Amino acid sequence: MENKILEIKNQALDEINKASDLKSLDEVKNKFLSRNSQFNNLKKGLKDIEPSKRPKIGALLNQISSELSKLIEEKNDIFYKKELSEKLLKEKIDITLDGNYIPQGHVHPLTKTINEIVDIFNYLGFSLIKPELSPEVELEKYNFDLLNVPKEHPARDVQDTFYCENMDSVVLRSQTSNAQARQMVNSKPPIKIISPGRVYRNESVSARKNNLFHQIEGLYVDKNVNMAQLKGVLNEFIRLYFGSSRPTRYRSSFFPFTEPSVEIDVQCIMCHGKGCSVCSGSGWLEILGAGIVDPNVLEAVGIDSNTYSGFAFGMGVERLTMLKYAIDDIRLFFSDDVRFLRQSV
Ligand code: DAH
């Protein structure tokens, strides 16, 4: 009996020695120390042995199985640490690597310009108009009539203005000036508002013209509003928008709703006044129309023109954006070319 036990022990020692990893060690453990192992069967068989020999054999079996367990445990510990460090090495994370790039959305260049301009005029004391006073689908009354635009004016022609089919006197507004008419009908002076939005004109599309574009309208009505204030506000706007003072030029002009009327040019950013293809050789670029609100307009909207006066202006957002960023084709704003759109932050 004892020989048999020692034989199994030697076999177990041999196999423990040969085990090369956690898995094979576990197999050895199962083979020699589990319930159905040969050792356990020998223990179970103790009851059949002669009682006087039982304690010695029993003690031997216990001693061997705890020796083997200890050995297996020690080796298990070594294998475990080894495998763990191999695994950690394999799964090592390089924290110096860049993370995944998640592309960010962009504000459209025109929205960026509108936001900037609105901020500047907020700073100069103008508030943003209520959206309901600046609709894109508009009655002729606000787009033309109240603004002193005569019935036979060429701007009213279907060649210039989009009329809504089967709806009498309804147009896609051709200018944001409809907002000043609505604001004056709906409130009393002092009025100091700014109104950005889309406008539509029946034009053939080219690098300089699109049939949808954006304008920003401004209106200031109070007692004693005059041309000097208009110049002060618009010069300050130009300085803040372009980031430095720029030579400007006021040219007299004509709009049905202002008298006197002016157009403002800034020196061409491309050639600095020398004359180039962008400014058609003149050295100047027009950025807005403006003037002192015609007393006829004030009277038409119910404001006493003897007590109040006002100035108004309207500027093209595309034009201002093109000038600031040297963009040479208006159609880029309405294309879905992401290379263009991504440039705006
Ligand atoms: N509405 C004019 C246009 O589209 C621009 C303009 C000129 C607006 C003079 C004004 C203004 O408010 O006073 O060409």
Side-chain angles (χ1 to χ4, degrees):
M1 181 77 180
E2 278 173 87
N3 283 345
K4 176 133 201 245
I5 293 172
L6 290 176
E7 195 185 306
I8 298 174
K9 177 191 171 186
N10 285 337
Q11 197 192 336
L13 285 175
D14 188 42
E15 288 191 29
I16 290 171
N17 238 347
K18 283 189 188 142
S20 56
D21 55 17
L22 279 176
K23 193 165 166 264
S24 47
L25 192 65
D26 202 47
E27 279 163 15
V28 178
K29 186 177 173 186
N30 272 337
K31 184 168 168 187
F32 292 98
L33 296 174
S34 70
R35 249 171 217 241
N36 295 322
S37 64
Q38 298 177 43
F39 268 114
N40 234 23
N41 289 340
L42 288 176
K43 279 184 194 166
K44 282 183 210 155
L46 274 178
K47 57 182 186 319
D48 305 324
I49 294 177
E50 206 184 299
S52 63
K53 290 189 176 164
R54 264 185 225 162
K56 198 174 162 212
I57 304 276
L60 183 63
L61 279 172
N62 281 342
Q63 186 210 329
I64 292 175
S65 58
S66 71
E67 240 173 69
L68 292 177
S69 302
K70 199 169 159 236
L71 269 179
I72 289 175
E73 211 133 285
E74 280 168 9
K75 216 165 167 184
N76 191 76
D77 213 36
I78 294 168
F79 284 152
Y80 175 76
K81 284 187 181 138
K82 188 166 159 250
E83 285 185 23
L84 183 67
S85 64
E86 278 169 9
K87 195 170 166 211
L88 287 177
L89 212 62
K90 232 194 300 165
E91 292 175 1
K92 199 165 126 186
I93 298 168
D94 183 351
I95 54 162
T96 63
L97 278 180
D98 283 347
N100 286 344
Y101 171 68
I102 300 168
Q104 276 196 325
H106 293 268
V107 173
H108 191 279
L110 293 176
T111 311
K112 190 177 177 229
T113 300
I114 290 172
N115 291 344
E116 267 176 42
I117 296 177
V118 169
D119 279 353
I120 292 172
F121 280 104
N122 280 168
Y123 164 70
L124 295 172
F126 289 74
S127 356
L128 200 57
I129 198 168
K130 289 190 189 138
E132 63 266 30
L133 294 179
S134 183
E136 285 176 34
V137 181
E138 183 56 292
L139 295 170
E140 269 192 281
K141 176 182 164 191
Y142 295 101
N143 196 73
F144 295 128
D145 299 345
L146 289 177
L147 294 168
N148 202 30
V149 181
K151 284 275 182 245
E152 68 287 356
H153 195 282
R156 295 200 187 218
D157 201 281
V158 284
Q159 313 271 288
D160 287 308
T161 300
F162 289 111
Y163 283 79
C164 294
E165 256 177 3
N166 304 327
M167 282 202 222
D168 210 19
S169 307
V170 179
V171 297
L172 295 185
R173 68 171 168 192
S174 60
Q175 50 184 358
T176 44
S177 307
N178 70 322
Q180 50 163 300
R182 281 188 180 267
Q183 180 69 48
M184 287 190 283
V185 166
N186 282 282
S187 62
K188 299 248 162 302
I191 294 170
K192 208 173 179 189
I193 55 99
I194 189 98
S195 174
R198 293 191 191 103
V199 300
Y200 303 83
R201 284 191 200 167
N202 197 356
E203 314 237 34
S204 46
V205 175
S206 70
R208 313 194 105 210
K209 284 185 170 165
N210 198 44
N211 41 31
L212 152 68
F213 58 101
H214 296 74
Q215 287 187 332
I216 297 184
E217 191 80 11
L219 174 70
Y220 177 32
V221 182
D222 203 347
K223 288 177 182 151
N224 303 319
V225 174
N226 57 43
M227 200 68 179
Q229 291 165 342
L230 168 75
K231 281 186 81 169
V233 164
L234 292 178
N235 283 347
E236 187 61 358
F237 158 71
I238 291 165
R239 191 180 73 81
L240 292 170
Y241 178 71
F242 287 105
S244 63
S245 66
R246 248 164 200 273
T248 51
R249 179 170 88 167
Y250 285 66
R251 267 184 301 108
S252 73
S253 182
F254 175 79
F255 299 102
F257 28 90
T258 43
E259 181 57 37
S261 303
V262 291
E263 280 177 308
I264 302 183
D265 300 337
V266 293
Q267 197 178 64
C268 177
I269 55 159
M270 302 294 183
C271 62
H272 300 285
K274 293 189 189 72
C276 67
S277 61
V278 173
C279 58
S280 314
S282 73
W284 298 95
L285 290 158
E286 183 217 319
I287 57 161
L288 59 86
I292 297 296
V293 180
D294 193 306
N296 284 341
V297 173
L298 294 178
E299 293 300 330
V301 295
I303 293 175
D304 179 4
S305 63
N306 291 318
T307 315
Y308 293 104
S309 55
F311 69 69
F313 54 87
M315 54 184 79
V317 177
E318 281 77 0
R319 174 49 82 90
L320 283 162
T321 312
M322 289 165 86
L323 283 179
K324 189 161 174 181
Y325 302 107
I327 297 165
D328 60 3
D329 193 327
I330 194 171
R331 290 168 294 195
L332 280 167
F333 292 120
F334 304 98
S335 76
D336 49 9
D337 188 335
V338 290
R339 290 168 305 175
F340 174 75
L341 297 173
R342 277 191 188 134
Q343 296 177 85
S344 152
V345 193

